[in-house]
Amino acid sequence: MTVQGATLGEWVATAKTRFAAAGLPDAAIEARLLLGGLLGLSSTEVFIGGDRLLSEAERQVVEAAIERRLKREPVHRILGHREFFGLDLRLSRETLEPRPDTEILVEKLLVRLRRIVAEKGAARVLDLGVGTGAIGLALLKECPQAVCLGSDISEDALATAAANAHLNGVAERYRTVRSDWFAEIDGKFDVIVSNPPYIASSVITELDPEVRDFDPLAALDGGEDGLDAYRAIAADAGSFLVPDGFVGVEIGFDQKQAVTALFTQKGFLLAESAQDYGHNDRVLVFACNNTK
């Protein structure tokens, strides 16, 4: 489809109309976000710059991006990066797109990480299944005395996380290792954190196309009951955690009871739980038995 128009305002209006006609939610917001990202403009510049003339090359880029969004590719996938906890994170084929709800996990662990640093002067973090590196890098950015080891089974994810560490100025305190959970991990950590795959295999096909077709399956599929990753983490976390350390995990909305049971069976105590912005259970923090 060829769109008539030469100005930014006309193209934003066109994108909004086409997104709305396709039944995409937040059509106006996505139209401004997409065009602003493609053209390197802030939301304010998009809002007040409606008369800005687009070059032919820019129009081609914008039209191609609109077509991609109409095929349900998420806006941030099209742009290739996303903001998370104040960081600019590159995305890649084998990385999960970080969501705002995961920032709650960072917030809850950051309080404890700062307390550990205040007591010890430093802290070690293990981020299991790093993806873009979002969680570990956010903790490092906010806590300069911490170091982080990020693990993943995907070389693509590890390379992306390492690049994001450089991009956000924390590379000297960030290291990656290819590991299937704890298989290649050495040492003890003050905080172990993970946003693991937690969707039951049978539910994958029911997910929105933006998730099902564009997020990596390995980052979504949690096995028959969605709990495989939690079993693996709970089984071995105690061997890699200092006596006063914590384990923080993101969970599915209906998994609080089941995940808590898995960890308490391995000697952990539920120290804190938190809900996401939709008031669903989303974060659990566990402590060793002797941690207050």
Side-chain angles (χ1 to χ4, degrees):
M1 174 179 178
T2 300
V3 182
Q4 299 298 318
T7 69
L8 173 60
E10 290 170 335
W11 277 95
V12 170
T14 293
K16 174 186 173 182
T17 299
R18 296 187 67 190
F19 292 166
L24 299 179
D26 303 318
I29 294 174
E30 288 205 345
R32 292 193 295 269
L33 179 62
L34 180 62
L35 270 75
L38 292 170
L39 300 174
L41 304 174
S42 69
S43 57
T44 300
E45 289 172 327
V46 173
F47 186 75
I48 66 176
D51 292 336
R52 179 187 188 278
L53 293 175
L54 271 62
S55 68
E56 177 60 29
E58 288 174 333
R59 292 197 293 270
Q60 291 178 4
V61 168
V62 168
E63 186 164 9
I66 291 173
E67 294 295 337
R68 289 171 66 180
R69 182 65 189 110
L70 290 172
K71 294 177 181 177
R72 304 300 292 270
E73 184 173 355
V75 168
H76 292 289
R77 289 275 178 200
I78 297 171
L79 298 178
H81 62 97
R82 178 164 186 164
E83 187 273 340
F84 177 86
F85 216 86
L87 305 178
D88 183 25
L89 299 176
R90 297 175 184 173
L91 306 176
S92 60
R93 182 173 55 86
E94 296 182 18
T95 58
L96 187 73
E97 182 182 336
R99 269 73 169 185
D101 285 340
T102 304
E103 294 183 344
I104 298 168
L105 177 57
V106 174
E107 291 170 356
K108 296 303 178 183
L109 289 178
L110 189 56
V111 173
R112 289 175 164 79
L113 189 62
R114 285 172 171 158
R115 189 175 74 193
I116 292 169
V117 165
E119 295 172 353
K120 299 181 178 181
R124 297 189 72 210
V125 177
L126 172 62
D127 185 0
L128 295 169
V130 292
T132 61
I135 299 171
L137 298 181
L139 292 173
L140 293 188
K141 195 71 173 181
E142 296 296 322
C143 191
Q145 301 87 349
V147 296
C148 180
L149 175 63
S151 75
D152 208 292
I153 59 172
S154 165
E155 293 286 3
D156 173 81
L158 294 172
T160 301
N164 283 328
H166 281 280
L167 181 65
N168 290 281
V170 296
E172 72 281 358
R173 293 184 286 124
Y174 190 74
R175 186 167 63 87
T176 61
V177 61
R178 189 174 188 275
S179 180
D180 185 0
W181 301 121
F182 294 97
E184 304 299 326
I185 304 300
D186 293 313
K188 299 278 188 176
F189 299 87
D190 298 284
V191 172
I192 297 175
V193 62
S194 184
N195 176 19
Y198 55 68
I199 299 172
S201 302
S202 60
V203 180
I204 299 294
T205 57
E206 302 172 15
L207 298 174
D208 290 340
E210 285 85 350
V211 176
R212 181 191 66 223
D213 298 338
F214 294 97
D215 276 333
L217 180 62
L220 300 174
D221 193 339
E224 185 176 351
D225 61 359
L227 300 174
D228 284 358
Y230 301 107
R231 291 189 182 92
I233 296 169
D236 293 325
S239 299
F240 296 88
L241 203 65
V242 299
D244 56 350
F246 294 91
V247 178
V249 293
E250 183 171 325
I251 61 170
F253 72 95
D254 59 350
Q255 294 176 324
K256 179 180 178 180
Q257 183 175 351
V259 174
T260 299
L262 289 173
F263 277 87
T264 55
Q265 289 166 9
K266 297 299 181 179
F268 289 91
L269 299 174
L270 180 61
E272 185 176 10
S273 62
Q275 294 184 328
D276 61 22
Y277 300 113
H279 305 293
N280 297 306
D281 291 320
R282 190 61 64 192
V283 170
L284 300 178
V285 179
F286 297 97
C288 299
N289 265 321
N290 62 341
T291 302
K292 296 180 181 180

